Amino acid sequence: KDVQEMTAGYWFNIYNGPKGRFRQGFQYSYMVRNLWSGTGGTANPSNTTQGIDNMIFTSLRYYLP
């Protein structure tokens, strides 16, 4: 029924020179999923179907010159 996601992250150049480029990245994502809350259109607040997911991604990259 409803999915919401918030994402934040960054990239940082550790080395950038004649031998190439070395980068480090970080990303955090927060996702919430809400399904229909009742049968026959009636809501039941004590029996909500909700999924929450916290995700962390990291990356190290080397780019050839």
Side-chain angles (χ1 to χ4, degrees):
K1 175 183 164 186
D2 182 36
V3 176
Q4 297 177 358
E5 181 180 3
M6 180 182 77
T7 302
Y10 72 89
W11 283 100
F12 178 71
N13 286 332
I14 296 171
Y15 172 78
N16 190 7
K19 295 184 179 180
R21 181 172 56 171
F22 191 61
R23 293 181 96 184
Q24 187 262 334
F26 177 81
Q27 179 180 345
Y28 170 76
S29 293
Y30 174 79
M31 186 176 356
V32 178
R33 182 191 68 180
N34 294 310
L35 299 177
W36 284 273
S37 58
T39 307
T42 59
N44 183 359
S46 64
N47 189 17
T48 59
T49 20
Q50 181 181 38
I52 298 175
D53 197 6
N54 293 291
M55 298 170 277
I56 296 175
F57 304 98
T58 60
S59 178
L60 287 173
R61 296 182 182 188
Y62 176 71
Y63 296 90
L64 296 172

